[in-house]
Amino acid sequence: MKLHEYQSKALFAEHGVPIPRGAVASSASEAIVVAQDLGIRVVVKAQVLVGGRGKAGGVRLADTPKEAGELAARILAMKIKNLPVRKVLVDEAVEPITEIYLGVTNDRSANRPVLIASAEGGVDIEDVAHTDPEKIVRISIHPLLGLQEFQARYLASAIELPRDYWRDFIRISRGLFEAYVDSDATLAEINPLVITKNDRLMALDGKVVLDDNALFLHPDLAEMRDIDEEVPAERDARKYGLSYVKLQGTIGCMVNGAGLAMASMDVIKLMGGEPANFLDIGGGASAEKVTAGLRIILTDPNVKVVLINVFGGITLADEVARGILPAIADEKPKVPLVVRLVGTNEEEGQRLLAKAKMITVSTLEEAAQLSVDLAKKGNVE
Ligand code: GDP
Ligand code: MN
């Protein structure tokens, strides 16, 4: 789950990270009130759960409350990377002299958190990562000892931060790391962390991604979820307890078990195709869950063929078939469905599916090969 900028910065502030004064607004008139209260030049910022708002015109400076209102109206009418803007953050504007990148995430290969910094932060950090990777400095953090002061100091020196700012930089690094650990985040990022004209270090932007599996420990954070900003398919999947991740390919996949789902995607790729999604219906899935999963796949316009791969153990093949049938009856899919359904209650499952127009095969290899062929044919037509 992603937090908005204003939520992320509020979380960082609780851990001692300095942020600009400001408040969110859902309308131009609210933005005017916030700007009046702040009483100085402001920045009006789109609150959407994607990056690159600045480049899309979603971050604008306003000299007067009236101008803040006009900009808010304009930004609230925008879509950024297809997401509608429903709120803006109105912050006191600052004058950044330097923009630094500072972030913490999991380093899966090291099994540890990693703190990352760069003197060349700001909207082009991705380019820096490609063209000048040596300008991005990382330190690995011991999961039990946590971020040590000397590590943060090393980072400050490695990015050649002037010594006057080291003390604040260390404090901010520790605050950010603490926020990351305490909220069970998988990413906590400040970009940019700026040195202002008044010689202060301040977080101008914030991004937090929380670990969904730990959200039950943080009801206060879970409540911050903005369902309006989520991809509808992912929202529906969560409702039915399905693990769904949308991908860019053309072969929709419905599989029981995360491991088998990954293996199915690998075999699709091996055969020269691209999966449209990851979907694990889980062990012992009910017919309703299967129906919901198949519906989600069928609503993806990129999907040219659906591959259903179920290896029944705890999951009952006939129950899966009972879930597939209503989805087909309701959605009347225009794309072919390739089904490999084996294991517990396989005969009954196959018997039920025989009534529906589906292509049944007995191995994953066959299923993948056929799906890839059908997806390619679909492209030609
Ligand atoms: P992003 O594009 O979604 O990452 O949004 P940011 O919040 O990082 O803003 C993008 C850029 O706008 C920053 O890198 C800054 O250069 C600029 N910016 C943001 N806030 C202010 C501000 O208060 N004053 C000025 N002058 N620039 C700002
Ligand atoms: Mn940013």
mmCIF file of all heavy atoms in Angstrom, residues 295-331:
data_model
loop_
_atom_site.group_PDB
_atom_site.id
_atom_site.type_symbol
_atom_site.label_atom_id
_atom_site.label_comp_id
_atom_site.label_asym_id
_atom_site.label_seq_id
_atom_site.Cartn_x
_atom_site.Cartn_y
_atom_site.Cartn_z
ATOM 1 N N ARG A 295 -12.981 -13.027 -13.447
ATOM 2 C CA ARG A 295 -13.584 -11.746 -13.868
ATOM 3 C C ARG A 295 -12.536 -10.658 -13.975
ATOM 4 O O ARG A 295 -12.519 -9.891 -14.926
ATOM 5 C CB ARG A 295 -14.616 -11.297 -12.828
ATOM 6 C CG ARG A 295 -15.915 -11.967 -12.983
ATOM 7 C CD ARG A 295 -17.063 -11.003 -12.637
ATOM 8 N NE ARG A 295 -18.288 -11.719 -12.858
ATOM 9 C CZ ARG A 295 -19.002 -12.270 -11.877
ATOM 10 N NH1 ARG A 295 -18.642 -12.128 -10.611
ATOM 11 N NH2 ARG A 295 -20.086 -12.936 -12.155
ATOM 12 N N ILE A 296 -11.676 -10.603 -12.952
ATOM 13 C CA ILE A 296 -10.622 -9.579 -12.935
ATOM 14 C C ILE A 296 -9.728 -9.725 -14.167
ATOM 15 O O ILE A 296 -9.418 -8.749 -14.851
ATOM 16 C CB ILE A 296 -9.799 -9.678 -11.627
ATOM 17 C CG1 ILE A 296 -10.651 -9.213 -10.443
ATOM 18 C CG2 ILE A 296 -8.521 -8.854 -11.715
ATOM 19 C CD1 ILE A 296 -10.065 -9.529 -9.083
ATOM 20 N N ILE A 297 -9.359 -10.954 -14.473
ATOM 21 C CA ILE A 297 -8.494 -11.191 -15.642
ATOM 22 C C ILE A 297 -9.211 -10.754 -16.920
ATOM 23 O O ILE A 297 -8.628 -10.097 -17.781
ATOM 24 C CB ILE A 297 -8.118 -12.682 -15.751
ATOM 25 C CG1 ILE A 297 -7.227 -13.081 -14.571
ATOM 26 C CG2 ILE A 297 -7.416 -12.975 -17.081
ATOM 27 C CD1 ILE A 297 -6.899 -14.552 -14.515
ATOM 28 N N LEU A 298 -10.496 -11.098 -17.024
ATOM 29 C CA LEU A 298 -11.231 -10.821 -18.258
ATOM 30 C C LEU A 298 -11.504 -9.332 -18.471
ATOM 31 O O LEU A 298 -11.800 -8.913 -19.588
ATOM 32 C CB LEU A 298 -12.538 -11.620 -18.290
ATOM 33 C CG LEU A 298 -12.357 -13.136 -18.474
ATOM 34 C CD1 LEU A 298 -13.672 -13.869 -18.247
ATOM 35 C CD2 LEU A 298 -11.780 -13.472 -19.845
ATOM 36 N N THR A 299 -11.391 -8.535 -17.419
ATOM 37 C CA THR A 299 -11.615 -7.092 -17.604
ATOM 38 C C THR A 299 -10.359 -6.387 -18.111
ATOM 39 O O THR A 299 -10.417 -5.221 -18.465
ATOM 40 C CB THR A 299 -12.050 -6.400 -16.294
ATOM 41 O OG1 THR A 299 -11.104 -6.744 -15.284
ATOM 42 C CG2 THR A 299 -13.435 -6.807 -15.865
ATOM 43 N N ASP A 300 -9.237 -7.087 -18.145
ATOM 44 C CA ASP A 300 -8.002 -6.477 -18.655
ATOM 45 C C ASP A 300 -8.036 -6.507 -20.184
ATOM 46 O O ASP A 300 -8.034 -7.569 -20.793
ATOM 47 C CB ASP A 300 -6.799 -7.274 -18.119
ATOM 48 C CG ASP A 300 -5.463 -6.751 -18.647
ATOM 49 O OD1 ASP A 300 -5.478 -5.892 -19.558
ATOM 50 O OD2 ASP A 300 -4.426 -7.205 -18.147
ATOM 51 N N PRO A 301 -8.091 -5.336 -20.830
ATOM 52 C CA PRO A 301 -8.220 -5.291 -22.295
ATOM 53 C C PRO A 301 -7.015 -5.877 -23.036
ATOM 54 O O PRO A 301 -7.122 -6.201 -24.217
ATOM 55 C CB PRO A 301 -8.378 -3.798 -22.600
ATOM 56 C CG PRO A 301 -7.823 -3.094 -21.412
ATOM 57 C CD PRO A 301 -8.026 -3.996 -20.238
ATOM 58 N N ASN A 302 -5.860 -5.989 -22.351
ATOM 59 C CA ASN A 302 -4.672 -6.553 -23.017
ATOM 60 C C ASN A 302 -4.741 -8.069 -23.166
ATOM 61 O O ASN A 302 -3.988 -8.653 -23.940
ATOM 62 C CB ASN A 302 -3.403 -6.242 -22.216
ATOM 63 C CG ASN A 302 -3.084 -4.770 -22.233
ATOM 64 O OD1 ASN A 302 -3.581 -4.027 -23.067
ATOM 65 N ND2 ASN A 302 -2.273 -4.339 -21.286
ATOM 66 N N VAL A 303 -5.629 -8.689 -22.388
ATOM 67 C CA VAL A 303 -5.652 -10.149 -22.352
ATOM 68 C C VAL A 303 -6.196 -10.732 -23.656
ATOM 69 O O VAL A 303 -7.296 -10.396 -24.092
ATOM 70 C CB VAL A 303 -6.484 -10.647 -21.148
ATOM 71 C CG1 VAL A 303 -6.784 -12.131 -21.252
ATOM 72 C CG2 VAL A 303 -5.730 -10.363 -19.851
ATOM 73 N N LYS A 304 -5.386 -11.588 -24.300
ATOM 74 C CA LYS A 304 -5.797 -12.211 -25.563
ATOM 75 C C LYS A 304 -6.139 -13.681 -25.376
ATOM 76 O O LYS A 304 -6.758 -14.306 -26.234
ATOM 77 C CB LYS A 304 -4.683 -12.072 -26.601
ATOM 78 C CG LYS A 304 -4.415 -10.615 -26.960
ATOM 79 C CD LYS A 304 -3.871 -10.503 -28.359
ATOM 80 C CE LYS A 304 -4.102 -9.136 -28.940
ATOM 81 N NZ LYS A 304 -3.509 -8.065 -28.109
ATOM 82 N N VAL A 305 -5.707 -14.239 -24.275
ATOM 83 C CA VAL A 305 -5.990 -15.637 -23.970
ATOM 84 C C VAL A 305 -5.827 -15.794 -22.458
ATOM 85 O O VAL A 305 -5.048 -15.080 -21.837
ATOM 86 C CB VAL A 305 -5.050 -16.581 -24.759
ATOM 87 C CG1 VAL A 305 -3.594 -16.229 -24.571
ATOM 88 C CG2 VAL A 305 -5.267 -18.030 -24.376
ATOM 89 N N VAL A 306 -6.631 -16.704 -21.877
ATOM 90 C CA VAL A 306 -6.503 -16.946 -20.435
ATOM 91 C C VAL A 306 -5.987 -18.364 -20.211
ATOM 92 O O VAL A 306 -6.519 -19.315 -20.799
ATOM 93 C CB VAL A 306 -7.853 -16.774 -19.707
ATOM 94 C CG1 VAL A 306 -7.677 -17.017 -18.202
ATOM 95 C CG2 VAL A 306 -8.438 -15.392 -19.952
ATOM 96 N N LEU A 307 -4.961 -18.457 -19.395
ATOM 97 C CA LEU A 307 -4.424 -19.769 -19.033
ATOM 98 C C LEU A 307 -4.808 -20.053 -17.581
ATOM 99 O O LEU A 307 -4.471 -19.284 -16.686
ATOM 100 C CB LEU A 307 -2.900 -19.751 -19.191
ATOM 101 C CG LEU A 307 -2.145 -21.080 -19.066
ATOM 102 C CD1 LEU A 307 -0.722 -20.899 -19.569
ATOM 103 C CD2 LEU A 307 -2.094 -21.611 -17.661
ATOM 104 N N ILE A 308 -5.550 -21.147 -17.402
ATOM 105 C CA ILE A 308 -5.902 -21.536 -16.036
ATOM 106 C C ILE A 308 -5.116 -22.793 -15.711
ATOM 107 O O ILE A 308 -5.223 -23.799 -16.421
ATOM 108 C CB ILE A 308 -7.419 -21.785 -15.911
ATOM 109 C CG1 ILE A 308 -8.187 -20.508 -16.279
ATOM 110 C CG2 ILE A 308 -7.775 -22.245 -14.489
ATOM 111 C CD1 ILE A 308 -9.692 -20.678 -16.335
ATOM 112 N N ASN A 309 -4.291 -22.710 -14.702
ATOM 113 C CA ASN A 309 -3.460 -23.852 -14.334
ATOM 114 C C ASN A 309 -3.732 -24.212 -12.876
ATOM 115 O O ASN A 309 -3.314 -23.487 -11.967
ATOM 116 C CB ASN A 309 -1.981 -23.509 -14.537
ATOM 117 C CG ASN A 309 -1.086 -24.690 -14.207
ATOM 118 O OD1 ASN A 309 -1.530 -25.842 -14.240
ATOM 119 N ND2 ASN A 309 0.163 -24.416 -13.896
ATOM 120 N N VAL A 310 -4.461 -25.293 -12.663
ATOM 121 C CA VAL A 310 -4.793 -25.690 -11.298
ATOM 122 C C VAL A 310 -4.319 -27.109 -11.041
ATOM 123 O O VAL A 310 -4.643 -28.040 -11.778
ATOM 124 C CB VAL A 310 -6.313 -25.570 -11.040
ATOM 125 C CG1 VAL A 310 -6.667 -26.183 -9.680
ATOM 126 C CG2 VAL A 310 -6.732 -24.115 -11.075
ATOM 127 N N PHE A 311 -3.504 -27.213 -10.007
ATOM 128 C CA PHE A 311 -3.021 -28.516 -9.588
ATOM 129 C C PHE A 311 -3.679 -28.791 -8.246
ATOM 130 O O PHE A 311 -3.269 -28.262 -7.221
ATOM 131 C CB PHE A 311 -1.499 -28.504 -9.473
ATOM 132 C CG PHE A 311 -0.926 -29.874 -9.273
ATOM 133 C CD1 PHE A 311 -0.517 -30.624 -10.357
ATOM 134 C CD2 PHE A 311 -0.804 -30.411 -8.002
ATOM 135 C CE1 PHE A 311 0.012 -31.894 -10.177
ATOM 136 C CE2 PHE A 311 -0.281 -31.677 -7.816
ATOM 137 C CZ PHE A 311 0.121 -32.418 -8.902
ATOM 138 N N GLY A 312 -4.737 -29.575 -8.292
ATOM 139 C CA GLY A 312 -5.561 -29.745 -7.093
ATOM 140 C C GLY A 312 -4.887 -30.582 -6.022
ATOM 141 O O GLY A 312 -4.486 -31.717 -6.255
ATOM 142 N N GLY A 313 -4.755 -30.004 -4.867
ATOM 143 C CA GLY A 313 -4.333 -30.737 -3.684
ATOM 144 C C GLY A 313 -5.401 -30.444 -2.667
ATOM 145 O O GLY A 313 -6.473 -31.064 -2.667
ATOM 146 N N ILE A 314 -5.152 -29.409 -1.859
ATOM 147 C CA ILE A 314 -6.211 -28.908 -0.978
ATOM 148 C C ILE A 314 -7.290 -28.265 -1.837
ATOM 149 O O ILE A 314 -8.468 -28.318 -1.541
ATOM 150 C CB ILE A 314 -5.672 -27.836 -0.007
ATOM 151 C CG1 ILE A 314 -4.372 -28.291 0.631
ATOM 152 C CG2 ILE A 314 -6.713 -27.483 1.046
ATOM 153 C CD1 ILE A 314 -3.643 -27.173 1.362
ATOM 154 N N THR A 315 -6.849 -27.627 -2.901
ATOM 155 C CA THR A 315 -7.795 -27.017 -3.832
ATOM 156 C C THR A 315 -8.510 -28.135 -4.601
ATOM 157 O O THR A 315 -7.867 -29.031 -5.121
ATOM 158 C CB THR A 315 -7.047 -26.114 -4.834
ATOM 159 O OG1 THR A 315 -6.257 -25.194 -4.086
ATOM 160 C CG2 THR A 315 -8.009 -25.355 -5.715
ATOM 161 N N LEU A 316 -9.826 -28.049 -4.638
ATOM 162 C CA LEU A 316 -10.600 -29.096 -5.306
ATOM 163 C C LEU A 316 -10.903 -28.681 -6.738
ATOM 164 O O LEU A 316 -11.435 -27.599 -6.984
ATOM 165 C CB LEU A 316 -11.908 -29.333 -4.542
ATOM 166 C CG LEU A 316 -11.729 -29.590 -3.032
ATOM 167 C CD1 LEU A 316 -13.083 -29.724 -2.343
ATOM 168 C CD2 LEU A 316 -10.880 -30.838 -2.783
ATOM 169 N N ALA A 317 -10.548 -29.565 -7.669
ATOM 170 C CA ALA A 317 -10.708 -29.251 -9.089
ATOM 171 C C ALA A 317 -12.169 -28.959 -9.447
ATOM 172 O O ALA A 317 -12.454 -28.064 -10.243
ATOM 173 C CB ALA A 317 -10.171 -30.392 -9.939
ATOM 174 N N ASP A 318 -13.106 -29.702 -8.836
ATOM 175 C CA ASP A 318 -14.515 -29.471 -9.185
ATOM 176 C C ASP A 318 -14.990 -28.117 -8.654
ATOM 177 O O ASP A 318 -15.779 -27.427 -9.293
ATOM 178 C CB ASP A 318 -15.408 -30.606 -8.672
ATOM 179 C CG ASP A 318 -15.319 -30.777 -7.168
ATOM 180 O OD1 ASP A 318 -14.232 -30.534 -6.597
ATOM 181 O OD2 ASP A 318 -16.337 -31.140 -6.545
ATOM 182 N N GLU A 319 -14.460 -27.733 -7.497
ATOM 183 C CA GLU A 319 -14.823 -26.422 -6.927
ATOM 184 C C GLU A 319 -14.318 -25.298 -7.849
ATOM 185 O O GLU A 319 -15.014 -24.309 -8.092
ATOM 186 C CB GLU A 319 -14.197 -26.298 -5.525
ATOM 187 C CG GLU A 319 -14.551 -25.041 -4.761
ATOM 188 C CD GLU A 319 -15.972 -25.012 -4.205
ATOM 189 O OE1 GLU A 319 -16.662 -26.057 -4.236
ATOM 190 O OE2 GLU A 319 -16.393 -23.923 -3.757
ATOM 191 N N VAL A 320 -13.120 -25.478 -8.367
ATOM 192 C CA VAL A 320 -12.563 -24.498 -9.297
ATOM 193 C C VAL A 320 -13.449 -24.412 -10.541
ATOM 194 O O VAL A 320 -13.805 -23.324 -11.001
ATOM 195 C CB VAL A 320 -11.102 -24.862 -9.676
ATOM 196 C CG1 VAL A 320 -10.599 -23.987 -10.815
ATOM 197 C CG2 VAL A 320 -10.187 -24.720 -8.466
ATOM 198 N N ALA A 321 -13.849 -25.584 -11.065
ATOM 199 C CA ALA A 321 -14.710 -25.608 -12.248
ATOM 200 C C ALA A 321 -16.026 -24.881 -11.954
ATOM 201 O O ALA A 321 -16.532 -24.128 -12.780
ATOM 202 C CB ALA A 321 -14.974 -27.048 -12.671
ATOM 203 N N ARG A 322 -16.544 -25.075 -10.757
ATOM 204 C CA ARG A 322 -17.805 -24.402 -10.374
ATOM 205 C C ARG A 322 -17.627 -22.893 -10.290
ATOM 206 O O ARG A 322 -18.601 -22.144 -10.366
ATOM 207 C CB ARG A 322 -18.298 -24.941 -9.023
ATOM 208 C CG ARG A 322 -18.963 -26.282 -9.171
ATOM 209 C CD ARG A 322 -19.758 -26.719 -7.934
ATOM 210 N NE ARG A 322 -20.188 -28.085 -8.157
ATOM 211 C CZ ARG A 322 -19.485 -29.173 -7.802
ATOM 212 N NH1 ARG A 322 -18.362 -29.030 -7.119
ATOM 213 N NH2 ARG A 322 -19.916 -30.370 -8.088
ATOM 214 N N GLY A 323 -16.388 -22.462 -10.106
ATOM 215 C CA GLY A 323 -16.114 -21.017 -10.097
ATOM 216 C C GLY A 323 -15.929 -20.469 -11.498
ATOM 217 O O GLY A 323 -16.293 -19.333 -11.796
ATOM 218 N N ILE A 324 -15.356 -21.287 -12.369
ATOM 219 C CA ILE A 324 -15.083 -20.831 -13.741
ATOM 220 C C ILE A 324 -16.402 -20.632 -14.503
ATOM 221 O O ILE A 324 -16.581 -19.629 -15.207
ATOM 222 C CB ILE A 324 -14.190 -21.866 -14.483
ATOM 223 C CG1 ILE A 324 -12.792 -21.913 -13.823
ATOM 224 C CG2 ILE A 324 -14.078 -21.528 -15.963
ATOM 225 C CD1 ILE A 324 -11.882 -23.010 -14.370
ATOM 226 N N LEU A 325 -17.331 -21.579 -14.333
ATOM 227 C CA LEU A 325 -18.561 -21.551 -15.138
ATOM 228 C C LEU A 325 -19.369 -20.254 -15.014
ATOM 229 O O LEU A 325 -19.724 -19.668 -16.037
ATOM 230 C CB LEU A 325 -19.416 -22.788 -14.822
ATOM 231 C CG LEU A 325 -18.757 -24.115 -15.247
ATOM 232 C CD1 LEU A 325 -19.586 -25.307 -14.786
ATOM 233 C CD2 LEU A 325 -18.541 -24.160 -16.755
ATOM 234 N N PRO A 326 -19.654 -19.776 -13.788
ATOM 235 C CA PRO A 326 -20.434 -18.529 -13.724
ATOM 236 C C PRO A 326 -19.712 -17.330 -14.326
ATOM 237 O O PRO A 326 -20.345 -16.455 -14.930
ATOM 238 C CB PRO A 326 -20.667 -18.304 -12.224
ATOM 239 C CG PRO A 326 -19.922 -19.353 -11.499
ATOM 240 C CD PRO A 326 -19.427 -20.373 -12.463
ATOM 241 N N ALA A 327 -18.375 -17.305 -14.202
ATOM 242 C CA ALA A 327 -17.636 -16.176 -14.782
ATOM 243 C C ALA A 327 -17.791 -16.193 -16.297
ATOM 244 O O ALA A 327 -17.989 -15.153 -16.926
ATOM 245 C CB ALA A 327 -16.157 -16.244 -14.388
ATOM 246 N N ILE A 328 -17.743 -17.377 -16.874
ATOM 247 C CA ILE A 328 -17.909 -17.482 -18.329
ATOM 248 C C ILE A 328 -19.332 -17.119 -18.732
ATOM 249 O O ILE A 328 -19.559 -16.385 -19.693
ATOM 250 C CB ILE A 328 -17.579 -18.922 -18.810
ATOM 251 C CG1 ILE A 328 -16.085 -19.180 -18.596
ATOM 252 C CG2 ILE A 328 -17.963 -19.117 -20.266
ATOM 253 C CD1 ILE A 328 -15.622 -20.512 -19.074
ATOM 254 N N ALA A 329 -20.296 -17.610 -17.958
ATOM 255 C CA ALA A 329 -21.699 -17.329 -18.274
ATOM 256 C C ALA A 329 -21.966 -15.824 -18.231
ATOM 257 O O ALA A 329 -22.670 -15.286 -19.088
ATOM 258 C CB ALA A 329 -22.601 -18.069 -17.285
ATOM 259 N N ASP A 330 -21.397 -15.134 -17.247
ATOM 260 C CA ASP A 330 -21.654 -13.700 -17.090
ATOM 261 C C ASP A 330 -20.846 -12.838 -18.052
ATOM 262 O O ASP A 330 -21.359 -11.900 -18.642
ATOM 263 C CB ASP A 330 -21.324 -13.250 -15.663
ATOM 264 C CG ASP A 330 -22.302 -13.829 -14.665
ATOM 265 O OD1 ASP A 330 -23.286 -14.467 -15.113
ATOM 266 O OD2 ASP A 330 -22.087 -13.651 -13.456
ATOM 267 N N GLU A 331 -19.572 -13.146 -18.150
ATOM 268 C CA GLU A 331 -18.676 -12.261 -18.908
ATOM 269 C C GLU A 331 -18.665 -12.587 -20.401
ATOM 270 O O GLU A 331 -18.226 -11.759 -21.198
ATOM 271 C CB GLU A 331 -17.244 -12.340 -18.363
ATOM 272 C CG GLU A 331 -17.115 -12.051 -16.865
ATOM 273 C CD GLU A 331 -17.300 -10.580 -16.533
ATOM 274 O OE1 GLU A 331 -16.920 -9.721 -17.355
ATOM 275 O OE2 GLU A 331 -17.837 -10.299 -15.447
#
